[in-house]
Amino acid sequence: MKNQKRTTIYDIAKKLNLNASSVSRALSNNNNVSAATRELVLKTAAELNYKQNSLASNLRRGHNKTIGVIVPHINQNFFADVIAGLEEVTYQQGYNLIICQSNESYTREVESVNTLINQHVSCIIISVSADFEDDSHLRNILAQGIQLIQFDRVADNLETFKVVNDNERASMEAVSHLITQGYQRIALLEGPQNLNIFKQRKDGYIAALKKHNFEVLPELMIENAWTKELGAIATRKLLNMPMPPDAIFASTSDFSALGVLEVAHKMGVMVPEKLGICGYSNEAFTEITTPSITTIDQHSVDMGKTIANLFFQEMGSEKEVRPKIVNIQPKLIVRSSTLKNKLGRSVR
Amino acid sequence: MKNQKRTTIYDIAKKLNLNASSVSRALSNNNNVSAATRELVLKTAAELNYKQNSLASNLRRGHNKTIGVIVPHINQNFFADVIAGLEEVTYQQGYNLIICQSNESYTREVESVNTLINQHVSCIIISVSADFEDDSHLRNILAQGIQLIQFDRVADNLETFKVVNDNERASMEAVSHLITQGYQRIALLEGPQNLNIFKQRKDGYIAALKKHNFEVLPELMIENAWTKELGAIATRKLLNMPMPPDAIFASTSDFSALGVLEVAHKMGVMVPEKLGICGYSNEAFTEITTPSITTIDQHSVDMGKTIANLFFQEMGSEKEVRPKIVNIQPKLIVRSSTLKNKLGRSVR
DNA sequence: TTGTAGGCGTTATCAA
DNA sequence: TTGATAACGCCTACAA
């Protein structure tokens, strides 16, 4: 368990009466070494249980086969899935992932960026925190010659590679679906508006209402209702209004939608007959609630893969590449919680 | 975006007519430098946007403030939670986390171990894959002088630091609870028995039966039913037996329990009246199924914190420390799916 | 095909 | 308190 010395290429060289450079060449198989020495070196390396020191190798070569990832929370399904997708691809390419969570704190986000810069990672992949203040730390990444990909929650004013969901369109589709189902007064649960994704979802909601000539009613749009608890509180308030909504679009998350559902149950409001509910994210549980919840799938694992592929395929070249924005189309998953017409439709 | 040179301590030194070593001292604030030069150095470093090169620093100092983590899947709640807990503590200590997922493959696990050894991480934290073959790669970690902590799924024959759940006791408690509720024929859904955690859960099941003088019936113990789909198939088989069970303990996971519940619904078997169901893990959805599912909470985020604290508090010292095993007590969460007596009890 | 030498950026040791 | 120098382990021109 002690800090004993590890075997280096010098140890191998000494044992074989070779020079360290020959050993190095033999180990990095692309160079010119005689087959005999290569074999000898490999054999001895195995015997001495040699492991390369990546620190030295990376320092010498000036780059690190490592990618840094910063997310608000590692253990939220969406982010965990994206990371799993990322890991899948980066692993294939022999890259490692260093993971940081900002805990929705701007300070921690900045600190994490600095650590990753210090580590000389090849690329930083980030989804910004909820109390995002300004993008100077992100600009700094670029200034240090490190690649940058933003995903999901991105800084609008900074031109970098981005992989995002088409939040506005998905929202529009969800609200249009509600309207088609015959809901008349559709409320919106909003997330923090300093995050662009939540702004876009709100925009989609408004666009859908306008498209169908529905009035946009400020009293039906509840700010900052992005957890289960806040969703529940908002719902109680909404359902106690003189003219309550007959549908609620929890644009922030399925957790928020779950809060809506629980309050509806407690208040004896029938779902979907008297209240339609639509969530966002396609969390596993939306399939098994009673009724199951209509929601929007973000293809999170694929998103991770897309991000990684972007790096390996489009950002590797030395020439200046114009930042590209990849827009992933989320998918509306219609379930029971919004199927007001289901009885009518199933009868001939 | 180009690979321009980053500023080094030499750049700062040159600008200030100092020696690089003085700059180094000034930046690592513990050494003896005059207050004046320190201030000057810090100011210039900020001006030139200096970032330390951790690769060089770690190479020189011979250790890396980085911890490697290997789990079967990053995006499974239990592991994601453990990682979140780990990150929380390691971040406080200025350590980074490199994350690998083995995808339940032994080969990938071995490869990941090697990468982490190459990276000279200070510690490797691992939960082994389902097709775990032998522990030579783990022994290699120790042979390289790297700390090793196993958690949850551990190699029994290898003496290292370990943080585990008391699976056997939790299982015993769950089955005893079922018996107390009046269930008479309790089936077990098992996980792969080459993983110790699943063996322990089976042991707990058997121990509970014996303790209450119940017969242990092989036909009620279904091997390898550890996903939702396999759980469903097993349930169909069980419920179609001449003498079907009146309770099923899905010892592998809540997903498996979910499979049980869905089949029960489809076959019209009342839960909990005709069939009691108990899962394992306390996944978020167990609270909101109909009926809600009795399960076992593993304190996963705390487990991550415990692991990290073990490393920082007990493994830092230079002297040989005897590996310690921390046993975390899981908690039985009783919900509707096993409350056969609930009606009886709520009546006075 | 192999050996020599220098350097990646930092820190530790010694001397001044 | 500061400067000079070597070394961490590896890679890569260049020379032999």
Side-chain angles (χ1 to χ4, degrees):
Chain A
M1 206 72 121
K2 273 304 132 39
N3 229 10
Q4 79 276 33
K5 269 248 183 325
R6 292 172 32 163
T7 64
T8 70
I9 51 174
Y10 283 97
D11 299 322
I12 301 177
K14 199 182 295 171
K15 181 152 188 189
L16 295 178
N17 274 324
L18 272 174
N19 190 282
S21 57
S22 297
V23 176
S24 172
R25 278 188 283 260
L27 291 172
S28 60
N29 39 358
N30 50 347
N31 268 352
N32 4 8
V33 204
S34 77
T37 41
R38 156 161 308 136
E39 205 168 327
L40 216 55
V41 167
L42 291 180
K43 186 162 148 278
T44 322
E47 271 172 19
L48 299 181
N49 201 4
Y50 168 78
K51 302 279 171 190
Q52 192 198 49
N53 184 334
S54 306
L55 294 175
S57 166
N58 291 332
L59 172 61
R60 175 59 233 256
R61 296 205 315 244
H63 80 278
N64 194 342
K65 290 183 94 170
T66 298
I67 291 174
V69 184
I70 305 175
V71 292
H73 289 285
I74 295 168
N75 57 341
Q76 280 179 7
N77 274 321
F78 172 70
F79 294 115
D81 284 346
V82 171
I83 293 173
L86 280 175
E87 207 276 346
E88 199 56 44
V89 176
T90 52
Y91 164 79
Q92 312 271 6
Q93 301 277 348
Y95 274 65
N96 285 112
L97 240 39
I98 297 188
I99 313 270
C100 309
Q101 62 184 345
S102 66
N103 262 317
E104 304 285 11
S105 143
Y106 181 71
T107 319
R108 262 190 81 164
E109 184 174 309
V110 174
E111 286 176 19
S112 298
V113 164
N114 285 328
T115 324
L116 293 176
I117 292 177
N118 290 353
Q119 291 284 340
H120 268 234
V121 295
S122 312
C123 179
I124 293 181
I125 295 170
I126 189 172
S127 195
V128 301
S129 67
D131 68 344
F132 178 81
E133 289 171 13
D134 70 88
D135 58 17
S136 52
H137 59 312
L138 301 183
R139 291 181 190 279
N140 201 5
I141 294 173
L142 299 172
Q144 300 284 345
I146 295 177
Q147 302 281 12
L148 172 61
I149 306 180
Q150 301 188 69
F151 76 96
D152 195 51
R153 307 183 185 174
V154 302
D156 274 330
N157 298 323
L158 187 61
E159 201 182 335
T160 68
F161 281 84
K162 292 176 184 171
V163 177
V164 292
N165 270 306
D166 193 336
N167 286 283
E168 184 167 348
R169 194 177 127 176
S171 275
M172 259 195 78
E173 211 176 313
V175 175
S176 295
H177 159 73
L178 289 169
I179 293 174
T180 310
Q181 284 291 313
Y183 295 104
Q184 301 280 342
R185 280 176 75 82
I186 302 169
L188 174 75
L189 305 191
E190 300 174 11
Q193 293 291 304
N194 59 328
L195 289 180
N196 61 329
I197 57 165
F198 295 127
K199 244 192 318 213
Q200 291 159 5
R201 293 179 194 173
K202 183 173 182 176
D203 289 346
Y205 162 82
I206 293 175
L209 292 186
K210 289 197 172 153
K211 185 178 153 202
H212 292 84
N213 295 316
F214 276 53
E215 223 176 325
V216 178
L217 302 167
E219 66 267 30
L220 292 184
M221 308 193 300
I222 311 290
E223 289 172 12
N224 247 35
W226 72 321
T227 64
K228 183 176 153 189
E229 288 68 28
L230 293 172
I233 292 169
T235 304
R236 218 171 275 284
K237 182 176 152 205
L238 283 168
L239 294 183
N240 281 323
M241 284 170 54
M243 293 190 54
D246 60 356
I248 297 180
F249 175 35
S251 78
T252 55
S253 71
D254 285 326
F255 290 98
S256 165
L258 190 58
V260 178
L261 182 58
E262 289 192 2
V263 169
H265 276 334
K266 280 185 197 146
M267 293 179 62
V269 177
M270 300 279 283
V271 178
E273 293 80 357
K274 295 293 173 193
L275 186 72
I277 302 177
C278 179
Y280 210 110
S281 285
N282 198 18
E283 299 277 345
F285 65 76
T286 50
E287 202 176 350
I288 53 178
T289 46
T290 314
S292 58
I293 301 175
T294 294
T295 184
I296 290 159
D297 188 273
Q298 301 183 89
H299 307 299
S300 33
V301 177
D302 282 340
M303 192 162 184
K305 293 183 184 171
T306 304
I307 296 168
N309 286 325
L310 195 61
F311 173 69
F312 290 112
Q313 290 162 16
E314 315 225 5
M315 299 166 75
S317 69
E318 274 307 303
K319 64 178 192 296
E320 201 78 24
V321 181
R322 184 151 182 85
K324 186 173 167 180
I325 297 181
V326 178
N327 223 318
I328 292 183
Q329 289 305 329
K331 186 159 182 284
L332 179 68
I333 312 280
V334 176
R335 298 218 184 84
S336 311
S337 69
T338 56
L339 286 183
K340 199 182 190 173
N341 291 334
K342 68 181 160 184
L343 296 172
R345 291 199 310 185
S346 64
V347 173
R348 288 174 180 256
Chain B
M1 205 73 123
K2 273 304 131 38
N3 230 9
Q4 79 278 36
K5 270 245 183 327
R6 292 171 30 163
T7 64
T8 70
I9 52 173
Y10 282 96
D11 300 322
I12 300 176
K14 198 183 295 171
K15 182 151 187 186
L16 295 178
N17 274 324
L18 272 174
N19 189 283
S21 55
S22 296
V23 175
S24 173
R25 279 188 284 260
L27 291 171
S28 59
N29 38 0
N30 50 348
N31 269 351
N32 2 8
V33 204
S34 76
T37 42
R38 156 161 308 137
E39 206 168 324
L40 216 54
V41 167
L42 292 180
K43 186 163 148 280
T44 324
E47 270 172 20
L48 298 181
N49 201 4
Y50 167 78
K51 302 279 172 188
Q52 192 199 49
N53 184 333
S54 304
L55 294 174
S57 169
N58 291 332
L59 172 61
R60 178 60 236 251
R61 295 206 317 245
H63 80 277
N64 195 343
K65 289 183 95 170
T66 297
I67 291 174
V69 184
I70 305 174
V71 293
H73 290 285
I74 295 169
N75 56 341
Q76 280 180 6
N77 274 320
F78 172 70
F79 294 115
D81 283 346
V82 171
I83 293 173
L86 279 175
E87 206 274 349
E88 199 57 44
V89 176
T90 52
Y91 164 79
Q92 312 272 4
Q93 301 277 347
Y95 274 64
N96 284 112
L97 241 38
I98 296 187
I99 313 269
C100 309
Q101 63 184 346
S102 65
N103 262 317
E104 304 284 12
S105 144
Y106 181 71
T107 319
R108 262 190 81 164
E109 183 174 309
V110 173
E111 286 175 19
S112 298
V113 164
N114 285 329
T115 324
L116 294 176
I117 291 177
N118 290 354
Q119 291 284 341
H120 269 235
V121 295
S122 312
C123 179
I124 293 181
I125 295 170
I126 190 172
S127 195
V128 300
S129 66
D131 68 344
F132 178 81
E133 290 172 12
D134 70 89
D135 58 17
S136 52
H137 59 311
L138 301 183
R139 291 182 191 278
N140 202 4
I141 294 173
L142 298 172
Q144 300 284 346
I146 296 177
Q147 303 281 10
L148 172 62
I149 306 180
Q150 300 188 70
F151 76 97
D152 195 50
R153 306 184 186 173
V154 303
D156 274 330
N157 299 324
L158 187 60
E159 202 182 335
T160 69
F161 281 84
K162 291 176 185 172
V163 177
V164 293
N165 270 306
D166 193 336
N167 286 283
E168 184 167 350
R169 193 176 128 179
S171 275
M172 259 195 78
E173 211 176 313
V175 175
S176 296
H177 160 72
L178 289 169
I179 293 175
T180 311
Q181 283 291 314
Y183 294 105
Q184 300 280 342
R185 281 177 75 81
I186 302 169
L188 174 75
L189 304 191
E190 301 174 11
Q193 293 292 302
N194 58 330
L195 288 181
N196 61 328
I197 57 165
F198 295 127
K199 244 193 318 217
Q200 292 159 5
R201 293 179 194 175
K202 182 173 182 176
D203 289 347
Y205 162 82
I206 293 176
L209 292 186
K210 289 197 172 153
K211 185 177 152 200
H212 291 85
N213 296 316
F214 275 52
E215 225 176 324
V216 178
L217 302 168
E219 66 267 31
L220 292 184
M221 308 194 299
I222 312 290
E223 290 172 12
N224 250 34
W226 72 321
T227 63
K228 184 176 152 190
E229 288 69 29
L230 293 172
I233 293 170
T235 305
R236 219 171 272 282
K237 183 176 153 202
L238 284 168
L239 294 183
N240 281 324
M241 283 170 56
M243 294 189 54
D246 59 357
I248 297 181
F249 175 34
S251 78
T252 55
S253 71
D254 285 326
F255 291 98
S256 165
L258 191 59
V260 178
L261 182 58
E262 290 191 1
V263 169
H265 277 334
K266 280 184 197 148
M267 295 180 62
V269 178
M270 300 280 281
V271 178
E273 292 81 356
K274 294 294 172 194
L275 185 72
I277 301 177
C278 179
Y280 210 110
S281 284
N282 197 18
E283 298 278 344
F285 65 76
T286 51
E287 203 177 348
I288 53 179
T289 47
T290 314
S292 58
I293 301 175
T294 294
T295 185
I296 289 158
D297 188 274
Q298 301 183 87
H299 307 299
S300 33
V301 177
D302 282 341
M303 192 162 186
K305 292 184 184 171
T306 304
I307 296 168
N309 286 325
L310 196 60
F311 172 70
F312 290 114
Q313 289 163 17
E314 315 226 5
M315 299 165 77
S317 70
E318 273 307 302
K319 64 179 192 297
E320 201 78 26
V321 180
R322 186 155 180 80
K324 185 173 167 181
I325 297 181
V326 179
N327 223 318
I328 291 182
Q329 290 305 329
K331 186 159 181 281
L332 180 68
I333 311 279
V334 176
R335 299 217 183 85
S336 311
S337 69
T338 56
L339 287 182
K340 199 182 191 172
N341 290 334
K342 69 182 157 182
L343 296 172
R345 290 198 312 187
S346 64
V347 174
R348 289 170 178 257

